[in-house]
mmCIF file of all heavy atoms in Angstrom:
data_model
loop_
_atom_site.group_PDB
_atom_site.id
_atom_site.type_symbol
_atom_site.label_atom_id
_atom_site.label_comp_id
_atom_site.label_asym_id
_atom_site.label_seq_id
_atom_site.Cartn_x
_atom_site.Cartn_y
_atom_site.Cartn_z
ATOM 1 N N GLY A 148 20.034 -16.705 -1.928
ATOM 2 C CA GLY A 148 20.620 -15.628 -2.752
ATOM 3 C C GLY A 148 20.091 -15.655 -4.172
ATOM 4 O O GLY A 148 20.602 -16.441 -4.990
ATOM 5 N N LEU A 149 19.127 -14.818 -4.444
ATOM 6 C CA LEU A 149 18.622 -14.700 -5.831
ATOM 7 C C LEU A 149 18.894 -13.288 -6.368
ATOM 8 O O LEU A 149 19.474 -13.104 -7.432
ATOM 9 C CB LEU A 149 17.091 -14.981 -5.877
ATOM 10 C CG LEU A 149 16.428 -14.904 -7.240
ATOM 11 C CD1 LEU A 149 16.997 -15.964 -8.193
ATOM 12 C CD2 LEU A 149 14.900 -15.090 -7.113
ATOM 13 N N THR A 150 18.503 -12.271 -5.599
ATOM 14 C CA THR A 150 18.656 -10.886 -6.041
ATOM 15 C C THR A 150 20.104 -10.487 -6.164
ATOM 16 O O THR A 150 20.931 -10.905 -5.354
ATOM 17 C CB THR A 150 17.944 -9.951 -5.000
ATOM 18 O OG1 THR A 150 16.607 -10.392 -4.846
ATOM 19 C CG2 THR A 150 17.984 -8.503 -5.424
ATOM 20 N N GLU A 151 20.383 -9.657 -7.164
ATOM 21 C CA GLU A 151 21.765 -9.160 -7.350
ATOM 22 C C GLU A 151 21.727 -7.619 -7.396
ATOM 23 O O GLU A 151 20.645 -7.057 -7.589
ATOM 24 C CB GLU A 151 22.315 -9.713 -8.666
ATOM 25 C CG GLU A 151 22.336 -11.247 -8.674
ATOM 26 C CD GLU A 151 23.033 -11.841 -9.881
ATOM 27 O OE1 GLU A 151 23.390 -11.084 -10.824
ATOM 28 O OE2 GLU A 151 23.199 -13.061 -9.870
ATOM 29 N N PRO A 152 22.866 -7.000 -7.333
ATOM 30 C CA PRO A 152 22.858 -5.530 -7.396
ATOM 31 C C PRO A 152 22.137 -5.004 -8.658
ATOM 32 O O PRO A 152 21.439 -4.006 -8.618
ATOM 33 C CB PRO A 152 24.333 -5.151 -7.386
ATOM 34 C CG PRO A 152 25.019 -6.315 -6.700
ATOM 35 C CD PRO A 152 24.212 -7.534 -7.048
ATOM 36 N N GLY A 153 22.283 -5.731 -9.763
ATOM 37 C CA GLY A 153 21.645 -5.289 -11.028
ATOM 38 C C GLY A 153 20.421 -6.078 -11.423
ATOM 39 O O GLY A 153 19.920 -5.907 -12.546
ATOM 40 N N SER A 154 19.950 -6.970 -10.584
ATOM 41 C CA SER A 154 18.824 -7.795 -10.991
ATOM 42 C C SER A 154 17.911 -8.125 -9.805
ATOM 43 O O SER A 154 18.262 -8.911 -8.921
ATOM 44 C CB SER A 154 19.399 -9.080 -11.631
ATOM 45 O OG SER A 154 18.796 -10.251 -11.223
ATOM 46 N N GLY A 155 16.762 -7.423 -9.770
ATOM 47 C CA GLY A 155 15.821 -7.597 -8.636
ATOM 48 C C GLY A 155 14.517 -8.200 -9.115
ATOM 49 O O GLY A 155 14.343 -9.443 -9.060
ATOM 50 N N SER A 156 13.631 -7.398 -9.671
ATOM 51 C CA SER A 156 12.344 -7.941 -10.145
ATOM 52 C C SER A 156 12.566 -8.902 -11.347
ATOM 53 O O SER A 156 11.688 -9.735 -11.594
ATOM 54 C CB SER A 156 11.440 -6.797 -10.604
ATOM 55 O OG SER A 156 11.165 -5.937 -9.517
ATOM 56 N N ASP A 157 13.661 -8.741 -12.015
ATOM 57 C CA ASP A 157 13.949 -9.553 -13.214
ATOM 58 C C ASP A 157 15.102 -10.511 -12.922
ATOM 59 O O ASP A 157 16.212 -10.343 -13.409
ATOM 60 C CB ASP A 157 14.313 -8.567 -14.359
ATOM 61 C CG ASP A 157 14.673 -9.292 -15.660
ATOM 62 O OD1 ASP A 157 14.295 -10.470 -15.790
ATOM 63 O OD2 ASP A 157 15.304 -8.656 -16.502
ATOM 64 N N PRO A 158 14.848 -11.579 -12.121
ATOM 65 C CA PRO A 158 15.943 -12.451 -11.722
ATOM 66 C C PRO A 158 16.550 -13.214 -12.894
ATOM 67 O O PRO A 158 17.695 -13.681 -12.858
ATOM 68 C CB PRO A 158 15.309 -13.413 -10.735
ATOM 69 C CG PRO A 158 13.837 -13.370 -10.991
ATOM 70 C CD PRO A 158 13.562 -11.995 -11.519
ATOM 71 N N GLY A 159 15.795 -13.341 -14.008
ATOM 72 C CA GLY A 159 16.310 -14.006 -15.206
ATOM 73 C C GLY A 159 17.526 -13.300 -15.798
ATOM 74 O O GLY A 159 18.298 -13.901 -16.565
ATOM 75 N N SER A 160 17.755 -12.030 -15.396
ATOM 76 C CA SER A 160 18.891 -11.296 -15.908
ATOM 77 C C SER A 160 20.134 -11.431 -14.994
ATOM 78 O O SER A 160 21.084 -10.661 -15.136
ATOM 79 C CB SER A 160 18.539 -9.798 -16.074
ATOM 80 O OG SER A 160 18.302 -9.220 -14.820
ATOM 81 N N MET A 161 20.118 -12.382 -14.102
ATOM 82 C CA MET A 161 21.222 -12.522 -13.141
ATOM 83 C C MET A 161 22.571 -12.709 -13.841
ATOM 84 O O MET A 161 22.605 -13.293 -14.957
ATOM 85 C CB MET A 161 20.984 -13.700 -12.172
ATOM 86 C CG MET A 161 21.110 -15.053 -12.789
ATOM 87 S SD MET A 161 20.988 -16.399 -11.581
ATOM 88 C CE MET A 161 19.286 -16.324 -11.111
ATOM 89 N N ARG A 162 23.647 -12.270 -13.224
ATOM 90 C CA ARG A 162 24.959 -12.362 -13.844
ATOM 91 C C ARG A 162 25.888 -13.328 -13.094
ATOM 92 O O ARG A 162 27.016 -13.575 -13.528
ATOM 93 C CB ARG A 162 25.580 -10.979 -13.911
ATOM 94 C CG ARG A 162 24.716 -10.054 -14.774
ATOM 95 C CD ARG A 162 25.213 -8.658 -14.773
ATOM 96 N NE ARG A 162 26.440 -8.545 -15.561
ATOM 97 C CZ ARG A 162 27.003 -7.382 -15.869
ATOM 98 N NH1 ARG A 162 26.468 -6.265 -15.473
ATOM 99 N NH2 ARG A 162 28.123 -7.344 -16.567
ATOM 100 N N THR A 163 25.449 -13.862 -11.984
ATOM 101 C CA THR A 163 26.264 -14.837 -11.252
ATOM 102 C C THR A 163 26.395 -16.131 -12.080
ATOM 103 O O THR A 163 25.393 -16.600 -12.622
ATOM 104 C CB THR A 163 25.654 -15.142 -9.867
ATOM 105 O OG1 THR A 163 25.612 -13.906 -9.156
ATOM 106 C CG2 THR A 163 26.462 -16.133 -9.063
ATOM 107 N N THR A 164 27.603 -16.627 -12.209
ATOM 108 C CA THR A 164 27.842 -17.784 -13.067
ATOM 109 C C THR A 164 28.417 -18.974 -12.327
ATOM 110 O O THR A 164 29.131 -18.822 -11.329
ATOM 111 C CB THR A 164 28.824 -17.427 -14.215
ATOM 112 O OG1 THR A 164 30.038 -16.920 -13.618
ATOM 113 C CG2 THR A 164 28.246 -16.381 -15.160
ATOM 114 N N LEU A 165 28.120 -20.154 -12.878
ATOM 115 C CA LEU A 165 28.649 -21.400 -12.358
ATOM 116 C C LEU A 165 29.278 -22.108 -13.568
ATOM 117 O O LEU A 165 28.581 -22.682 -14.395
ATOM 118 C CB LEU A 165 27.482 -22.245 -11.824
ATOM 119 C CG LEU A 165 27.818 -23.581 -11.203
ATOM 120 C CD1 LEU A 165 28.574 -23.389 -9.885
ATOM 121 C CD2 LEU A 165 26.546 -24.406 -10.931
ATOM 122 N N ARG A 166 30.572 -21.975 -13.708
ATOM 123 C CA ARG A 166 31.283 -22.479 -14.902
ATOM 124 C C ARG A 166 32.054 -23.734 -14.592
ATOM 125 O O ARG A 166 32.738 -23.792 -13.567
ATOM 126 C CB ARG A 166 32.296 -21.430 -15.407
ATOM 127 C CG ARG A 166 31.653 -20.129 -15.815
ATOM 128 C CD ARG A 166 31.417 -20.094 -17.324
ATOM 129 N NE ARG A 166 30.870 -18.802 -17.723
ATOM 130 C CZ ARG A 166 29.577 -18.601 -18.011
ATOM 131 N NH1 ARG A 166 28.695 -19.574 -17.950
ATOM 132 N NH2 ARG A 166 29.154 -17.411 -18.366
ATOM 133 N N ARG A 167 31.947 -24.741 -15.516
ATOM 134 C CA ARG A 167 32.710 -25.966 -15.283
ATOM 135 C C ARG A 167 34.227 -25.666 -15.423
ATOM 136 O O ARG A 167 34.639 -24.894 -16.265
ATOM 137 C CB ARG A 167 32.313 -27.040 -16.319
ATOM 138 C CG ARG A 167 32.909 -28.376 -15.952
ATOM 139 C CD ARG A 167 32.341 -29.480 -16.784
ATOM 140 N NE ARG A 167 31.269 -30.229 -16.182
ATOM 141 C CZ ARG A 167 31.418 -31.030 -15.123
ATOM 142 N NH1 ARG A 167 32.548 -31.183 -14.535
ATOM 143 N NH2 ARG A 167 30.367 -31.712 -14.691
ATOM 144 N N ASN A 168 35.008 -26.294 -14.529
ATOM 145 C CA ASN A 168 36.462 -26.110 -14.549
ATOM 146 C C ASN A 168 37.085 -27.442 -14.187
ATOM 147 O O ASN A 168 37.377 -27.698 -13.006
ATOM 148 C CB ASN A 168 36.788 -25.000 -13.543
ATOM 149 C CG ASN A 168 38.260 -24.625 -13.587
ATOM 150 O OD1 ASN A 168 38.841 -24.558 -14.669
ATOM 151 N ND2 ASN A 168 38.870 -24.367 -12.420
ATOM 152 N N GLY A 169 37.246 -28.330 -15.178
ATOM 153 C CA GLY A 169 37.759 -29.661 -14.908
ATOM 154 C C GLY A 169 36.735 -30.507 -14.165
ATOM 155 O O GLY A 169 35.595 -30.590 -14.576
#
Side-chain angles (χ1 to χ4, degrees):
L149 180 64
T150 305
E151 301 186 353
S154 135
S156 299
D157 178 19
S160 66
M161 72 174 69
R162 298 175 72 172
T163 299
T164 55
L165 182 69
R166 299 263 182 258
R167 189 170 264 291
N168 186 38

